[in-house]
Short mmCIF file of all heavy atoms in Angstrom, two decimals:
data_model
loop_
_atom_site.label_atom_id
_atom_site.label_comp_id
_atom_site.label_asym_id
_atom_site.label_seq_id
_atom_site.Cartn_x
_atom_site.Cartn_y
_atom_site.Cartn_z
N LEU R 17 -67.84 22.42 -22.89
CA LEU R 17 -69.07 23.00 -23.44
C LEU R 17 -70.33 22.53 -22.66
O LEU R 17 -71.27 23.34 -22.50
CB LEU R 17 -69.23 22.48 -24.90
CG LEU R 17 -68.30 23.19 -25.88
CD1 LEU R 17 -68.42 22.55 -27.23
CD2 LEU R 17 -68.62 24.66 -26.00
N LEU R 18 -70.33 21.29 -22.19
CA LEU R 18 -71.44 20.82 -21.33
C LEU R 18 -71.57 21.63 -20.06
O LEU R 18 -72.71 22.03 -19.62
CB LEU R 18 -71.30 19.39 -21.04
CG LEU R 18 -71.66 18.42 -22.15
CD1 LEU R 18 -71.28 17.03 -21.78
CD2 LEU R 18 -73.13 18.45 -22.51
N ARG R 19 -70.42 21.87 -19.45
CA ARG R 19 -70.43 22.60 -18.12
C ARG R 19 -70.91 24.11 -18.47
O ARG R 19 -71.71 24.65 -17.64
CB ARG R 19 -69.06 22.68 -17.56
CG ARG R 19 -68.70 21.41 -16.85
CD ARG R 19 -67.30 21.54 -16.22
NE ARG R 19 -66.94 20.26 -15.64
CZ ARG R 19 -65.77 19.93 -15.19
NH1 ARG R 19 -64.77 20.86 -15.38
NH2 ARG R 19 -65.45 18.84 -14.61
N GLN R 20 -70.44 24.64 -19.50
CA GLN R 20 -70.80 26.03 -19.82
C GLN R 20 -72.29 26.12 -20.12
O GLN R 20 -73.01 27.01 -19.66
CB GLN R 20 -70.04 26.50 -21.06
CG GLN R 20 -70.24 27.93 -21.44
CD GLN R 20 -69.40 28.33 -22.63
OE1 GLN R 20 -68.79 27.50 -23.29
NE2 GLN R 20 -69.29 29.58 -22.93
N ASN R 21 -72.85 25.19 -20.85
CA ASN R 21 -74.29 25.21 -21.21
C ASN R 21 -75.11 24.93 -19.94
O ASN R 21 -76.20 25.49 -19.81
CB ASN R 21 -74.55 24.23 -22.30
CG ASN R 21 -74.12 24.71 -23.65
OD1 ASN R 21 -73.99 25.91 -23.86
ND2 ASN R 21 -73.81 23.75 -24.54
N TRP R 22 -74.63 24.02 -19.07
CA TRP R 22 -75.40 23.73 -17.84
C TRP R 22 -75.42 24.93 -16.97
O TRP R 22 -76.46 25.29 -16.37
CB TRP R 22 -74.71 22.52 -17.09
CG TRP R 22 -75.45 22.23 -15.84
CD1 TRP R 22 -74.99 22.46 -14.57
CD2 TRP R 22 -76.79 21.67 -15.78
NE1 TRP R 22 -76.00 22.07 -13.64
CE2 TRP R 22 -76.99 21.56 -14.37
CE3 TRP R 22 -77.71 21.22 -16.68
CZ2 TRP R 22 -78.18 21.02 -13.85
CZ3 TRP R 22 -78.90 20.69 -16.16
CH2 TRP R 22 -79.16 20.60 -14.82
N ARG R 23 -74.29 25.68 -16.87
CA ARG R 23 -74.32 26.94 -16.07
C ARG R 23 -75.23 27.94 -16.68
O ARG R 23 -75.96 28.64 -15.90
CB ARG R 23 -72.91 27.51 -16.03
CG ARG R 23 -71.95 26.76 -15.12
CD ARG R 23 -70.62 27.53 -14.94
NE ARG R 23 -69.66 26.65 -14.47
CZ ARG R 23 -68.53 26.31 -15.08
NH1 ARG R 23 -68.25 26.91 -16.22
NH2 ARG R 23 -67.70 25.48 -14.58
N ARG R 24 -75.34 28.04 -17.96
CA ARG R 24 -76.23 28.99 -18.61
C ARG R 24 -77.66 28.61 -18.30
O ARG R 24 -78.54 29.48 -18.13
CB ARG R 24 -75.91 29.01 -20.09
CG ARG R 24 -76.63 30.12 -20.81
CD ARG R 24 -76.29 30.24 -22.25
NE ARG R 24 -74.93 30.60 -22.37
CZ ARG R 24 -74.07 30.16 -23.32
NH1 ARG R 24 -74.54 29.44 -24.23
NH2 ARG R 24 -72.84 30.58 -23.40
N LEU R 25 -77.99 27.31 -18.41
CA LEU R 25 -79.33 26.84 -18.23
C LEU R 25 -79.75 26.99 -16.76
O LEU R 25 -80.98 27.21 -16.48
CB LEU R 25 -79.49 25.37 -18.58
CG LEU R 25 -79.61 25.13 -20.13
CD1 LEU R 25 -79.64 23.61 -20.38
CD2 LEU R 25 -80.92 25.71 -20.60
N THR R 26 -78.90 26.93 -15.86
CA THR R 26 -79.26 27.00 -14.44
C THR R 26 -79.05 28.40 -13.90
O THR R 26 -79.16 28.54 -12.63
CB THR R 26 -78.41 25.97 -13.59
OG1 THR R 26 -77.04 26.26 -13.77
CG2 THR R 26 -78.78 24.57 -14.01
N SER R 27 -78.79 29.31 -14.68
CA SER R 27 -78.68 30.72 -14.15
C SER R 27 -79.99 31.31 -13.83
O SER R 27 -81.06 30.86 -14.34
CB SER R 27 -77.91 31.57 -15.20
OG SER R 27 -78.77 31.84 -16.28
N MET R 28 -80.01 32.34 -13.03
CA MET R 28 -81.24 32.99 -12.52
C MET R 28 -81.90 33.72 -13.66
O MET R 28 -83.19 33.72 -13.82
CB MET R 28 -80.92 33.98 -11.46
CG MET R 28 -82.11 34.60 -10.86
SD MET R 28 -83.31 33.48 -10.13
CE MET R 28 -82.50 32.95 -8.68
N SER R 29 -81.16 34.31 -14.60
CA SER R 29 -81.76 35.06 -15.69
C SER R 29 -82.58 34.07 -16.60
O SER R 29 -83.65 34.38 -17.08
CB SER R 29 -80.72 35.82 -16.46
OG SER R 29 -79.79 34.93 -17.07
N THR R 30 -82.06 32.85 -16.85
CA THR R 30 -82.76 31.89 -17.56
C THR R 30 -84.10 31.47 -16.91
O THR R 30 -85.13 31.34 -17.54
CB THR R 30 -81.91 30.65 -17.87
OG1 THR R 30 -80.77 31.03 -18.55
CG2 THR R 30 -82.62 29.63 -18.72
N ALA R 31 -83.98 31.25 -15.60
CA ALA R 31 -85.16 30.88 -14.84
C ALA R 31 -86.22 32.01 -14.89
O ALA R 31 -87.40 31.74 -15.02
CB ALA R 31 -84.76 30.62 -13.42
N LEU R 32 -85.82 33.26 -14.81
CA LEU R 32 -86.76 34.36 -14.85
C LEU R 32 -87.40 34.43 -16.25
O LEU R 32 -88.64 34.69 -16.31
CB LEU R 32 -86.07 35.64 -14.49
CG LEU R 32 -85.67 35.80 -13.05
CD1 LEU R 32 -84.85 37.10 -12.84
CD2 LEU R 32 -86.88 35.79 -12.16
N VAL R 33 -86.62 34.30 -17.28
CA VAL R 33 -87.19 34.32 -18.60
C VAL R 33 -88.15 33.17 -18.87
O VAL R 33 -89.29 33.39 -19.37
CB VAL R 33 -86.03 34.22 -19.71
CG1 VAL R 33 -86.65 33.95 -21.10
CG2 VAL R 33 -85.27 35.45 -19.71
N LEU R 34 -87.86 32.01 -18.37
CA LEU R 34 -88.79 30.88 -18.51
C LEU R 34 -90.04 31.06 -17.70
O LEU R 34 -91.19 30.74 -18.15
CB LEU R 34 -88.13 29.55 -18.11
CG LEU R 34 -87.01 29.07 -19.07
CD1 LEU R 34 -86.37 27.79 -18.54
CD2 LEU R 34 -87.59 28.77 -20.48
N LEU R 35 -89.93 31.66 -16.57
CA LEU R 35 -91.09 31.93 -15.67
C LEU R 35 -91.98 33.00 -16.32
O LEU R 35 -93.21 32.88 -16.31
CB LEU R 35 -90.64 32.39 -14.30
CG LEU R 35 -91.65 32.55 -13.25
CD1 LEU R 35 -92.34 31.25 -12.97
CD2 LEU R 35 -91.07 33.08 -11.98
N PHE R 36 -91.36 34.01 -16.98
CA PHE R 36 -92.08 35.02 -17.66
C PHE R 36 -92.85 34.44 -18.83
O PHE R 36 -94.06 34.74 -19.04
CB PHE R 36 -91.18 36.15 -18.14
CG PHE R 36 -91.89 37.20 -18.93
CD1 PHE R 36 -92.75 38.09 -18.36
CD2 PHE R 36 -91.70 37.21 -20.34
CE1 PHE R 36 -93.38 39.02 -19.16
CE2 PHE R 36 -92.32 38.13 -21.10
CZ PHE R 36 -93.16 39.14 -20.53
N LEU R 37 -92.20 33.55 -19.60
CA LEU R 37 -92.86 32.91 -20.72
C LEU R 37 -94.05 32.01 -20.26
O LEU R 37 -95.10 31.95 -20.96
CB LEU R 37 -91.83 32.14 -21.54
CG LEU R 37 -90.79 32.94 -22.34
CD1 LEU R 37 -89.87 32.01 -22.97
CD2 LEU R 37 -91.54 33.79 -23.38
N LEU R 38 -93.94 31.33 -19.16
CA LEU R 38 -94.96 30.54 -18.61
C LEU R 38 -96.13 31.40 -18.21
O LEU R 38 -97.30 31.08 -18.54
CB LEU R 38 -94.44 29.68 -17.44
CG LEU R 38 -95.46 28.81 -16.74
CD1 LEU R 38 -95.86 27.71 -17.68
CD2 LEU R 38 -94.85 28.22 -15.48
N ALA R 39 -95.88 32.49 -17.58
CA ALA R 39 -96.93 33.42 -17.17
C ALA R 39 -97.62 33.99 -18.40
O ALA R 39 -98.87 34.13 -18.48
CB ALA R 39 -96.42 34.53 -16.33
N LEU R 40 -96.82 34.28 -19.41
CA LEU R 40 -97.41 34.84 -20.68
C LEU R 40 -98.32 33.79 -21.38
O LEU R 40 -99.36 34.15 -21.87
CB LEU R 40 -96.23 35.27 -21.59
CG LEU R 40 -96.61 36.18 -22.79
CD1 LEU R 40 -97.21 37.48 -22.27
CD2 LEU R 40 -95.41 36.37 -23.63
N ALA R 41 -97.87 32.53 -21.36
CA ALA R 41 -98.67 31.50 -21.97
C ALA R 41 -99.94 31.19 -21.20
O ALA R 41 -100.87 30.71 -21.78
CB ALA R 41 -97.79 30.19 -22.12
N ALA R 42 -99.97 31.51 -19.90
CA ALA R 42 -101.14 31.16 -19.10
C ALA R 42 -102.20 32.32 -19.23
O ALA R 42 -103.33 32.04 -18.83
CB ALA R 42 -100.75 31.04 -17.63
N LEU R 43 -101.83 33.45 -19.73
CA LEU R 43 -102.81 34.58 -19.80
C LEU R 43 -104.07 34.22 -20.65
O LEU R 43 -105.14 34.52 -20.21
CB LEU R 43 -102.18 35.82 -20.35
CG LEU R 43 -101.31 36.58 -19.32
CD1 LEU R 43 -100.61 37.76 -19.94
CD2 LEU R 43 -102.15 37.03 -18.17
N PRO R 44 -103.89 33.72 -21.88
CA PRO R 44 -105.19 33.44 -22.56
C PRO R 44 -106.14 32.53 -21.81
O PRO R 44 -107.32 32.77 -21.85
CB PRO R 44 -104.69 32.79 -23.85
CG PRO R 44 -103.32 33.22 -24.03
CD PRO R 44 -102.73 33.36 -22.68
N GLY R 45 -105.61 31.52 -21.18
CA GLY R 45 -106.49 30.58 -20.46
C GLY R 45 -107.20 31.30 -19.31
O GLY R 45 -108.33 30.93 -18.92
N ALA R 46 -106.54 32.32 -18.69
CA ALA R 46 -107.13 33.00 -17.57
C ALA R 46 -108.09 34.02 -18.04
O ALA R 46 -109.03 34.34 -17.34
CB ALA R 46 -106.03 33.60 -16.73
N MET R 47 -107.84 34.65 -19.16
CA MET R 47 -108.69 35.79 -19.65
C MET R 47 -109.93 35.37 -20.41
O MET R 47 -110.95 35.98 -20.32
CB MET R 47 -107.81 36.71 -20.50
CG MET R 47 -106.67 37.29 -19.78
SD MET R 47 -107.17 38.25 -18.35
CE MET R 47 -106.43 39.82 -18.66
N LEU R 48 -109.73 34.30 -21.22
CA LEU R 48 -110.92 33.86 -22.03
C LEU R 48 -111.96 33.15 -21.20
O LEU R 48 -111.62 32.37 -20.31
CB LEU R 48 -110.42 32.94 -23.12
CG LEU R 48 -109.53 33.57 -24.15
CD1 LEU R 48 -109.00 32.56 -25.13
CD2 LEU R 48 -110.19 34.73 -24.91
N PRO R 49 -113.19 33.47 -21.38
CA PRO R 49 -114.22 32.85 -20.57
C PRO R 49 -114.36 31.34 -20.94
O PRO R 49 -114.17 30.97 -22.11
CB PRO R 49 -115.51 33.55 -20.91
CG PRO R 49 -115.25 34.20 -22.24
CD PRO R 49 -113.73 34.50 -22.34
N GLN R 50 -114.77 30.57 -20.07
CA GLN R 50 -114.91 29.11 -20.19
C GLN R 50 -116.36 28.83 -20.41
O GLN R 50 -117.22 29.08 -19.60
CB GLN R 50 -114.44 28.35 -18.94
CG GLN R 50 -112.96 28.71 -18.60
CD GLN R 50 -111.99 28.32 -19.69
OE1 GLN R 50 -112.04 27.23 -20.21
NE2 GLN R 50 -111.05 29.18 -19.85
N ARG R 51 -116.70 28.24 -21.53
CA ARG R 51 -118.12 27.97 -21.87
C ARG R 51 -118.81 26.95 -21.03
O ARG R 51 -119.97 27.07 -20.71
CB ARG R 51 -118.27 27.55 -23.34
CG ARG R 51 -117.98 28.66 -24.33
CD ARG R 51 -118.46 28.29 -25.69
NE ARG R 51 -118.19 29.31 -26.71
CZ ARG R 51 -119.02 30.28 -26.97
NH1 ARG R 51 -120.14 30.37 -26.31
NH2 ARG R 51 -118.67 31.22 -27.80
N ASN R 52 -118.07 25.94 -20.56
CA ASN R 52 -118.71 24.88 -19.79
C ASN R 52 -118.94 25.20 -18.34
O ASN R 52 -119.49 24.42 -17.60
CB ASN R 52 -117.92 23.55 -19.94
CG ASN R 52 -116.47 23.73 -19.47
OD1 ASN R 52 -116.11 24.83 -19.07
ND2 ASN R 52 -115.81 22.63 -19.49
N LEU R 53 -118.49 26.40 -17.82
CA LEU R 53 -118.68 26.68 -16.47
C LEU R 53 -120.08 27.30 -16.23
O LEU R 53 -120.84 26.79 -15.41
CB LEU R 53 -117.57 27.65 -16.01
CG LEU R 53 -116.20 27.12 -15.91
CD1 LEU R 53 -115.21 28.20 -15.47
CD2 LEU R 53 -116.13 25.95 -14.98
N ASN R 54 -120.39 28.38 -16.98
CA ASN R 54 -121.69 28.98 -16.84
C ASN R 54 -122.07 29.48 -18.21
O ASN R 54 -121.64 30.61 -18.59
CB ASN R 54 -121.64 30.09 -15.79
CG ASN R 54 -123.01 30.60 -15.41
OD1 ASN R 54 -123.99 30.35 -16.14
ND2 ASN R 54 -123.08 31.27 -14.29
N VAL R 55 -122.88 28.76 -18.93
CA VAL R 55 -123.15 29.10 -20.29
C VAL R 55 -123.86 30.46 -20.41
O VAL R 55 -123.65 31.21 -21.39
CB VAL R 55 -124.04 27.94 -20.92
CG1 VAL R 55 -124.37 28.24 -22.31
CG2 VAL R 55 -123.26 26.64 -20.82
N GLN R 56 -124.77 30.80 -19.50
CA GLN R 56 -125.61 31.97 -19.58
C GLN R 56 -124.60 33.22 -19.42
O GLN R 56 -124.70 34.18 -20.23
CB GLN R 56 -126.63 32.01 -18.59
CG GLN R 56 -127.73 31.05 -18.83
CD GLN R 56 -128.71 31.03 -17.73
OE1 GLN R 56 -128.46 31.46 -16.61
NE2 GLN R 56 -129.89 30.40 -17.98
#
């Protein structure tokens, strides 16, 4: 079971899904304006 789960975790599809989720989580921080940079 450990080997099977390790193979599943290290597969390319898992890496792509995690990368997509990371990009999705970064979108709000990139899109929302930051108040402390330029208030005006």
Side-chain angles (χ1 to χ4, degrees):
L17 286 173
L18 284 172
R19 284 182 181 167
Q20 184 179 11
N21 287 333
W22 180 251
R23 284 188 200 120
R24 188 175 298 147
L25 280 175
T26 57
S27 70
M28 183 59 73
S29 60
T30 302
L32 290 174
V33 167
L34 291 175
L35 190 61
F36 175 73
L37 289 175
L38 181 64
L40 194 63
L43 280 177
M47 299 301 234
L48 296 175
Q50 308 295 318
R51 288 193 182 270
N52 58 357
L53 293 178
N54 191 341
V55 179
Q56 292 173 343

